[in-house]
Amino acid sequence: MEKTQEKNIFINQIGYLPKDKKLAFLTQAAQNQNCTFELCEINSKKVVFTGKILPKNDDGSKYVDSAVGEEIFTADFSEFSQEGKYFIKIGNQESFPFEIKSQVYKNLYYSVLNYFNLSRCGQNFCHTADAEIYGTNETKNVQGGWHDAGDYGRYIVPTAKTIMDLLMAYDSSKNFFTDFDILKEIRFALEWMLKMQREDGAVYHKVSCYHFCAFIKPEDEKDKLVISPISTAATADFAGSLAFASKYYQKEDKEFAKKLLDAALKAQEYLNHHDDEIFINPPEITTGSYGDRNVSDERYFALCALWEVTENPDYLKKALEIRKNEIENNRFWHEGFGWGLMAGFGTEILINNSQKIDDKEVVQTLKDAVIKNADKSLETANKSAFLYASKFYGWGSNGAVCDQAHVLMLAYKITGKIEYKTIAKAQLDYVLGCNPLNFCYVTGWGAKSPEHPHHRPSGATKQVMPGMLVGGPCAGLNDEYARIHLANLPALKCYADAEPSYSTNEIAIYWNSALVYVLSKTGF
């Protein structure tokens, strides 16, 4: 089948597992041609399944999702499970090709994981010099870690979130495939994080150059590296992610596992004796800040992780006190996942270890909070033309909707309610092509994927690195290119496959890790 840019039929361009719920979406222009759709084999063009085209509303009335801006219809071929390569046909219009088969996401999974290996800092002789500690005459070796996003900075906060996603994904996928050593890759980041800890236990927030560089290769960035000041967010995320990670290395390297836990305990000891230290970029440094005004969720996460590993009841008590105080004082508290939303990881840890918690009322309260969050996602998805389970249309929406799928999968684990898993899987379908722009938002995959990501290595080499989830639609229009080219478009169409559009087309380790998690939970 020839590659086309048809935009009237939207499909998961990678494909579906045989027992998946399988939906294609289409516009009025496609629906007008016929009230039925055909599922056809790629090579023979043979029609193997025929079904009715359904409107969004069960009563047949018109429904326009404001985030999409037009009426969208559905073609459901879930009952067809024969493995093979297919396309959807409506009249004379055809969808992009896709597959139905077991392990249909296997190669994609490895590609998305391999992105981390390709993003290692210190490889190919890049950023090997010692970095100066801001405001001092001291220097420090902080080589290693992953380049965070489209730039070459390395940041503790998003790295910690990434590690948590990957480790929780590893729990689901380790028995399926052995072609990628996830623990080895995570260890590369952990060893860098250890270098970012100060002698007193506090953790430096980030290391970068003073300013973003041009679109050059990492080995060509020769500007001075600077280590930014410590922060509570970095120290707490460090404590939580290293404590949680330590248990995964107990069998293969007890010494390394102990090193991780000792560093985490040291960081927590610092947190115990210091008030919140909120990170703000020093005036001379203009790279990303990952600032967070409320770090109670980071402190909570750290305590939950330390409690799981040490079983020290004081950690659990302090964690629950933080959560209770935030809720009782009407502060923002959200059992979600994100670089600035670490409470979900803490709560998931507690739920996974609920047999160790004597107060079952507390356990139920935690579960109820997750379920409440997930139910809101179900409600949102069922009103969305594309089953998009979030009302967030900002910077990094693709990563955020994968994080919301994480909430749904946790609710599924708690309740066994299949609708949670079905809608979580729909978020994977969304990022792989079931969206109003017909993009498979992972570079190098599908019939139509981003070719101009805001990613310095890809820009410098003129070769797009595969396996990267781009940020996706951003209704905030946070860059000049977006403001010029995307103004007045519906929210889920505010995306530009253009290198200058960093608010829609940048990549990030913690978006990729969220996709790894969703693949591990819904793709096998």
Side-chain angles (χ1 to χ4, degrees):
M1 177 180 288
E2 293 183 0
K3 180 177 178 180
T4 70
Q5 295 300 304
E6 179 59 65
K7 288 184 170 63
N8 291 326
I9 305 174
F10 316 96
I11 197 80
N12 178 330
Q13 294 168 30
I14 307 303
Y16 304 83
L17 297 171
K19 294 183 179 180
D20 272 348
K21 186 175 181 65
K22 309 174 193 73
L23 300 178
F25 300 88
L26 51 140
T27 64
Q28 182 73 55
Q31 194 272 345
N32 282 341
Q33 297 205 10
N34 210 324
C35 61
T36 61
F37 70 93
E38 297 173 331
L39 179 65
C40 306
E41 289 183 340
I42 289 288
N43 294 325
S44 68
K45 310 285 184 167
K46 177 184 176 182
V47 177
V48 296
F49 181 85
T50 302
K52 290 183 178 181
I53 294 171
L54 302 173
K56 177 65 178 175
N57 288 338
D58 292 337
D59 62 2
S61 60
K62 185 174 182 179
Y63 176 79
V64 177
D65 181 349
S66 61
V68 176
E70 59 185 318
E71 187 172 15
I72 299 295
F73 299 82
T74 303
D76 189 337
F77 54 105
S78 301
E79 63 185 83
F80 184 85
S81 59
Q82 182 70 39
E83 295 197 11
K85 296 182 179 181
Y86 305 97
F87 64 93
I88 297 291
K89 185 176 181 181
I90 302 170
N92 61 4
Q93 297 193 49
E94 298 179 359
S95 74
F96 289 132
F98 61 92
E99 288 187 86
I100 298 175
K101 71 173 184 179
S102 60
Q103 297 191 7
V104 69
Y105 302 112
K106 178 179 178 180
N107 292 332
L108 172 66
Y109 186 67
Y110 286 142
S111 179
V112 176
L113 276 172
N114 193 50
Y115 155 79
F116 294 98
N117 186 269
L118 296 173
S119 298
R120 287 185 173 193
C121 187
Q123 312 294 291
N124 301 321
F125 307 104
C126 76
H127 304 130
T128 56
D130 286 357
E132 68 176 27
I133 298 174
Y134 177 79
T136 74
N137 294 321
E138 299 176 49
T139 60
K140 186 175 175 64
N141 176 2
V142 289
Q143 186 175 338
W146 298 308
H147 293 142
D148 172 66
D151 62 289
Y152 298 129
R154 288 160 286 156
Y155 308 77
I156 289 291
V157 167
T159 299
K161 190 270 187 187
T162 299
I163 286 171
M164 292 303 298
D165 283 338
L166 294 180
L167 287 173
M168 288 184 167
Y170 173 75
D171 286 337
S172 299
S173 63
K174 61 185 175 185
N175 295 325
F176 287 98
F177 308 117
T178 57
D179 293 351
F180 188 94
D181 192 336
I182 297 180
L183 293 184
K184 181 180 179 181
E185 190 59 44
I186 292 170
R187 179 167 180 160
F188 184 82
L190 290 168
E191 288 175 339
W192 167 72
M193 292 178 75
L194 287 167
K195 296 177 181 179
M196 293 289 284
Q197 186 172 37
R198 212 166 61 178
E199 282 299 317
D200 62 357
V203 178
Y204 295 110
H205 196 79
K206 65 173 178 175
V207 58
S208 67
C209 294
Y210 278 87
H211 310 288
F212 290 124
C213 66
F215 274 67
I216 57 177
K217 297 178 183 179
E219 59 267 32
D220 293 333
E221 186 181 46
K222 304 296 185 182
D223 292 345
K224 184 181 292 185
L225 291 170
V226 58
I227 299 171
S228 290
I230 63 157
S231 71
T232 297
T235 305
D237 282 345
F238 175 100
S241 58
L242 266 66
F244 188 80
S246 66
K247 63 184 183 180
Y248 292 85
Y249 297 92
Q250 281 289 344
K251 289 184 179 180
E252 66 177 47
D253 192 339
K254 288 186 177 181
E255 184 178 341
F256 183 62
K258 184 178 185 302
K259 188 176 183 180
L260 293 175
L261 182 55
D262 287 347
L265 290 167
K266 190 175 182 180
Q268 183 59 48
E269 188 63 19
Y270 180 88
L271 293 169
N272 289 342
H273 296 94
H274 291 81
D275 293 334
D276 292 348
E277 295 169 289
I278 304 302
F279 182 79
I280 299 174
N281 256 342
E284 300 93 336
I285 301 175
T286 59
T287 52
S289 66
Y290 288 101
D292 192 342
R293 293 289 180 180
N294 186 342
V295 292
S296 296
D297 55 313
E298 283 80 8
R299 286 182 178 270
Y300 168 78
F301 158 61
L303 289 163
C304 292
L306 283 163
W307 167 74
E308 179 192 22
V309 177
T310 67
E311 298 189 356
N312 182 336
D314 287 343
Y315 291 136
L316 177 60
K317 180 181 177 182
K318 290 177 181 177
L320 294 175
E321 285 175 353
I322 288 174
R323 185 180 185 278
K324 182 180 178 182
N325 289 337
E326 289 296 295
I327 293 172
E328 287 183 348
N329 288 299
N330 295 317
R331 298 192 181 99
F332 178 77
W333 188 265
H334 183 64
E335 249 80 21
F337 302 90
W339 67 260
L341 293 172
M342 298 298 283
F345 292 112
T347 295
E348 184 163 2
I349 289 169
L350 298 188
I351 290 173
N352 288 344
N353 293 274
S354 59
Q355 74 281 3
K356 300 177 184 178
I357 300 175
D358 294 330
D359 191 338
K360 299 310 176 186
E361 185 176 340
V362 165
V363 173
Q364 192 59 51
T365 297
L366 296 171
K367 291 180 178 180
D368 288 346
V370 172
I371 293 168
K372 182 179 179 181
N373 187 345
D375 284 343
K376 288 181 179 178
S377 289
L378 289 185
E379 183 181 357
T380 299
N382 288 326
K383 292 179 180 178
S384 166
F386 289 90
L387 298 180
Y388 184 79
S390 172
K391 293 182 179 180
F392 178 76
Y393 308 113
W395 197 335
S397 62
N398 283 342
V401 83
C402 288
D403 286 329
Q404 201 57 36
H406 190 152
V407 174
L408 288 160
M409 287 307 300
L410 181 53
Y412 171 67
K413 181 177 182 179
I414 293 169
T415 67
K417 184 177 177 180
I418 193 64
E419 189 178 6
Y420 291 130
K421 185 175 182 179
T422 300
I423 296 301
K425 172 56 169 57
Q427 309 319 297
L428 180 62
D429 294 338
Y430 170 86
V431 299
L432 298 181
C434 289
N435 57 68
L437 295 177
N438 233 351
F439 263 100
C440 174
Y441 283 120
V442 182
T443 57
W445 287 88
K448 180 185 177 184
S449 63
E451 297 179 351
H452 308 285
H454 185 88
H455 179 242
R456 280 165 176 75
S458 296
T461 61
K462 307 302 179 185
Q463 293 182 325
V464 179
M465 187 184 292
M468 302 185 297
L469 177 66
V470 299
C474 177
L477 307 179
N478 294 104
D479 62 73
E480 185 177 3
Y481 187 96
R483 287 190 288 272
I484 292 172
H485 296 276
L486 305 176
N488 302 316
L489 288 176
L492 289 181
K493 292 184 178 180
C494 290
Y495 168 76
D497 181 18
E499 188 179 273
S501 185
Y502 51 82
S503 68
T504 73
N505 216 29
E506 192 171 14
I507 54 85
I509 55 175
Y510 51 95
W511 299 337
N512 252 57
S513 63
L515 178 56
V516 169
Y517 177 88
V518 177
L519 281 166
S520 74
K521 290 291 186 179
T522 69
F524 304 123

